[in-house]
Amino acid sequence: MEAAPSTSPCRYSYEEYKETADWLLAHTKQRPKIAIICGSGLGGLADLLGDKAVFPYEDIPRFPTSTVPGHAGQLVFGSLQGRDCVCMQGRFHFYEGYDIHTVTYPVRVFYLLGVETVIVTNAAGGLNGSYNVGDIMILKDHINMPGFAGQNPLCGHNDIRFGERFPCMSDAYDRDLRAVARQTAEEQGCGGFLQEGVYCMLAGPSYETIAECKLLQMLGADCVGMSTVPEVVVARHCGLRVLGLSLVTNKVVTDYDSAEKANHEEVLRTTQRRTQDLERLVSQLIANI
Ligand SMILES: O=P(O)(O)O[C@@H]1C[C@H](O)[C@@H](CO)O1
Ligand SMILES: Nc1nc2[nH]cnc2c(=O)[nH]1
């Protein structure tokens, strides 16, 4: 597949998103109001669903496919805590070569399915010195670094059926959902490793240099990752409520004498260690929202 030029206008028409959504609606009886996007190593969240209908991405008309270890590549519809949900087991990253409109394609499909709330999860590097590996961070804000460089998924023609030309982002992470998440985390015994902070997205796939980590710390970022922000921007554009959760899978290196090196194996190891806590938290959250 030939990559789209980075300056392309939105590559997809309303009718294309609609074709995907209508196909899914025709192939499942579930009518989800909640969507969950699983981060690296966090795809086990989809296994919580009962009464499942599973669609590999390659079977869904116009859906992209995922290439990262730790990401399965299927859309799972099902029921959790008596609520219909749809779960993306495997997301699309900009660093895989997808243009920013393709990265966010599923979010507009969710909107057209009737989804109202999106729970976005990710694996991230901890920048905040007081964070520990294994902490869960509720996102209260983000820094859209690729957006600074012109890679905002809303660039190009604005279709008003999705949302307005200039959407607000100061309320990107829903205050009420954050409160429910804090409360639920306490009830589920996750309070001892819960944080709330700012996620910064970089394009990846290289991890950060020491100087870059120091810069991001100065900017006020608490965690750094390679996803989530484009999906959140598109979700907010079409009025979906968003809850973001980062799992701190590693601490970034900020010391020139350190022998530590960021690596994807450590990222996946940490997700395995925390997977049950996260599953419990998300499951109970869904009951509480
Ligand atoms: O999909 P997420 O953001 O959870 O995955 C993170 C970012 C990269 O894909 C990978 C790096 O280890 O983990
Ligand atoms: N950019 C980035 N993404 C990550 N995902 C998991 N850990 C990291 C990290 O340290 N940096």
Side-chain angles (χ1 to χ4, degrees):
M1 187 179 80
E2 203 177 309
S6 58
T7 53
S8 69
C10 184
R11 296 181 56 208
Y12 303 104
S13 65
Y14 185 88
E15 287 68 31
E16 286 171 287
Y17 297 107
K18 185 94 172 58
E19 183 188 330
T20 305
D22 286 349
W23 186 91
L24 288 165
L25 289 171
H27 284 77
T28 171
K29 60 182 184 345
Q30 306 272 356
R31 293 294 176 263
K33 295 268 180 267
I34 299 172
I36 305 166
I37 301 179
C38 301
S40 276
L42 301 172
L45 290 169
D47 299 332
L48 300 174
L49 304 188
D51 197 17
K52 281 201 275 268
V54 180
F55 303 99
Y57 293 156
E58 61 266 26
D59 293 349
I60 307 173
R62 300 193 180 279
F63 226 71
T65 47
S66 166
T67 64
V68 190
H71 283 273
Q74 53 193 23
L75 214 52
V76 182
F77 287 72
S79 171
L80 186 57
Q81 303 280 359
R83 323 252 326 243
D84 283 0
C85 296
V86 55
C87 198
M88 251 185 105
Q89 219 175 14
R91 59 147 56 91
F92 309 113
H93 301 88
F94 187 69
Y95 65 74
E96 291 175 81
Y98 299 111
D99 64 86
I100 204 80
H101 306 292
T102 303
V103 167
T104 55
Y105 189 90
V107 178
R108 285 188 170 165
V109 172
F110 292 156
Y111 169 67
L112 293 173
L113 290 176
V115 163
E116 294 170 353
T117 302
V118 185
I119 300 175
V120 197
T121 67
N122 62 61
L127 291 161
N128 185 317
S130 69
Y131 286 12
N132 294 308
V133 170
D135 283 356
I136 294 172
M137 184 184 86
I138 299 169
L139 274 66
K140 73 170 179 210
D141 204 348
H142 70 223
I143 299 175
N144 183 1
M145 205 59 101
F148 286 9
Q151 292 292 350
N152 186 310
L154 303 181
C155 284
H157 169 71
N158 185 60
D159 192 320
I160 198 73
R161 286 171 287 185
F162 287 116
E164 60 184 310
R165 172 77 288 186
F166 301 111
C168 171
M169 284 295 144
S170 56
D171 60 351
Y173 299 90
D174 189 90
R175 193 189 298 261
D176 295 339
L177 289 179
R178 284 194 277 133
V180 174
R182 279 195 302 271
Q183 165 98 28
T184 309
E186 290 295 338
E187 287 164 9
Q188 294 300 311
C190 301
F193 49 91
L194 187 73
Q195 309 285 356
E196 190 159 3
V198 178
Y199 174 90
C200 178
M201 182 206 175
L202 302 187
S206 47
Y207 291 109
E208 296 67 42
T209 65
I210 290 175
E212 286 165 350
C213 291
K214 288 174 184 283
L215 173 73
L216 298 181
Q217 287 173 329
M218 280 193 285
L219 292 179
D222 298 296
C223 277
V224 58
M226 306 178 193
S227 70
T228 301
V229 169
E231 295 147 342
V232 171
V233 168
V234 167
R236 292 302 299 143
H237 180 239
C238 56
L240 306 184
R241 295 199 308 162
V242 172
L243 176 72
L245 297 174
S246 289
L247 175 62
V248 181
T249 51
N250 55 293
K251 290 193 74 150
V252 303
V253 180
T254 51
D255 175 1
Y256 284 100
D257 293 326
S258 170
E260 298 286 324
K261 291 178 179 204
N263 63 89
H264 193 55
E265 289 66 40
E266 182 187 8
V267 169
L268 294 182
R269 264 200 312 276
T270 310
T271 58
Q272 273 167 18
R273 179 154 73 79
R274 268 287 177 254
T275 197
Q276 282 189 342
D277 294 304
L278 259 160
E279 287 173 11
R280 233 182 32 248
L281 175 60
V282 170
S283 172
Q284 197 52 41
L285 255 167
I286 284 173
N288 293 349
I289 58 181

